[in-house]
Amino acid sequence: MGKNRKYVLLGVLLIAFAGFSLLSFKQNLTPYVTYAEARADARVVQVAGGLEKDTYYYDDQTETLHFTLLDPESDAKLKVRYDGLKPANFEDAISIVAIGRYDDGTDEFHANKLLVKCPSKYQGAEVQEYS
């Protein structure tokens, strides 16, 4: 009977560990949301879109990049502020994912990470630019 108890205890511990791991993983996910959802959500989220041309500027003194994202499906816009170095070829981006949270005080999405997709040199006319 002592051997069976060990297996039961081990099984309970494994199930508890799996449940804790799943809960921790779920809490650390950063979901993609719409611009409206990003404005209403206080947690860290991901928003994606195209760079609205001629809306970006980079402040060398503060190393802050400001730009506007355009949602290709709804034509909604979202002002974004990113503190850090401007990514290479940022101006050529065909899509941008900003990870961060909306700041009501500045009325901007404050990104702590940017993922920039630029057109490949192997892509041709199928590359769609947002403007």
Side-chain angles (χ1 to χ4, degrees), residues 83-96:
D83 297 325
L85 296 175
K86 182 175 78 167
N89 298 328
F90 180 78
E91 302 84 10
D92 300 325
I94 58 172
S95 69
I96 299 170

Side-chain angles (χ1 to χ4, degrees), residues 5 9 11 20 28 38 41 52 57 64 70-71 73 82-83 85 87 91-92 94 99 101 104 106 109-110 120:
R5 267 191 171 166
L9 181 60
F20 177 75
N28 289 323
D41 206 331
E52 184 178 31
Y57 66 94
T64 304
L70 245 179
D71 185 348
E73 295 177 12
Y82 172 67
D83 297 325
L85 296 175
E91 302 84 10
D92 300 325
I94 58 172
I99 303 168
R101 64 176 47 133
D104 286 328
T106 61
F109 186 84
H110 186 203
S120 169

Side-chain angles (χ1 to χ4, degrees), residues 1 12 15 33-34 55 62 65 70-71 101 115 118 123:
M1 180 111 167
V12 169
I15 290 171
V33 297
T34 65
T55 64
T62 62
L65 177 64
L70 245 179
D71 185 348
R101 64 176 47 133
L115 305 173
C118 293
Q123 289 178 314

Side-chain angles (χ1 to χ4, degrees), residues 21-92:
S21 298
L22 183 63
L23 181 64
S24 295
F25 178 73
K26 186 176 179 182
Q27 288 176 344
N28 289 323
L29 287 177
T30 308
Y32 276 96
V33 297
T34 65
Y35 297 171
E37 291 170 330
R39 287 183 181 98
D41 206 331
R43 64 189 169 146
V44 173
V45 295
Q46 298 185 56
V47 291
L51 174 63
E52 184 178 31
K53 300 298 181 193
D54 301 324
T55 64
Y56 73 90
Y57 66 94
Y58 183 73
D59 185 342
D60 290 319
Q61 297 288 345
T62 62
E63 292 185 344
T64 304
L65 177 64
H66 297 265
F67 61 95
T68 301
L69 278 181
L70 245 179
D71 185 348
E73 295 177 12
S74 69
D75 290 330
K77 296 180 182 184
L78 181 68
K79 290 182 182 181
V80 179
R81 180 183 80 235
Y82 172 67
D83 297 325
L85 296 175
K86 182 175 78 167
N89 298 328
F90 180 78
E91 302 84 10
D92 300 325

